[in-house]
Amino acid sequence: MAATASRPTRLRHALDVAMRTLAALVAGYACAHTFAAFMTVVLPFARPDRVVAGTLLSFVVWTLVALHAFAAASPWRAWWLPAVAFALMMAVVFAFPDAGLRP
């Protein structure tokens, strides 16, 4: 006879999955969006090429964040690494606001 999981264990598992899903969606979108802006600032191409390259590569970033969200040891770890990456990239974007406007 198989032992069934208790309600608190099932609830905890459901909350873990929900938090990881939110991390994949929300933190993934935030990192992807910030990465596109970051690439617009740091790439040495013409502005349209920087925007296109940053946007295309941002899909890779979103995928990597989603993979990290479900591979992390805990839901907390699924959130903190993308949050740190977001903060660092956003700091560079805000530190050089005119760099993204160069031709």
Side-chain angles (χ1 to χ4, degrees):
M1 181 172 187
T4 59
S6 63
R7 283 194 189 264
T9 305
R10 291 175 65 191
L11 179 62
R12 180 175 171 91
H13 177 70
L15 289 174
D16 283 354
V17 171
M19 291 304 293
R20 290 172 191 270
T21 303
L22 278 175
L25 293 174
V26 176
Y29 176 79
C31 281
H33 177 73
T34 306
F35 182 80
F38 177 74
M39 286 291 117
T40 302
V41 171
V42 300
L43 287 177
F45 311 142
R47 186 167 192 249
D49 295 334
R50 290 191 319 251
V51 171
V52 169
T55 302
L56 289 174
L57 290 173
S58 71
F59 291 108
V60 174
V61 171
W62 197 342
T63 302
L64 291 175
V65 171
L67 287 171
H68 168 73
F70 288 98
S74 69
W76 165 250
R77 290 183 184 175
W79 278 97
W80 78 264
L81 185 63
V84 169
F86 170 81
L88 291 175
M89 288 187 290
M90 197 57 99
V92 171
V93 169
F94 284 139
F96 305 102
D98 294 335
L101 300 176
R102 71 181 192 274

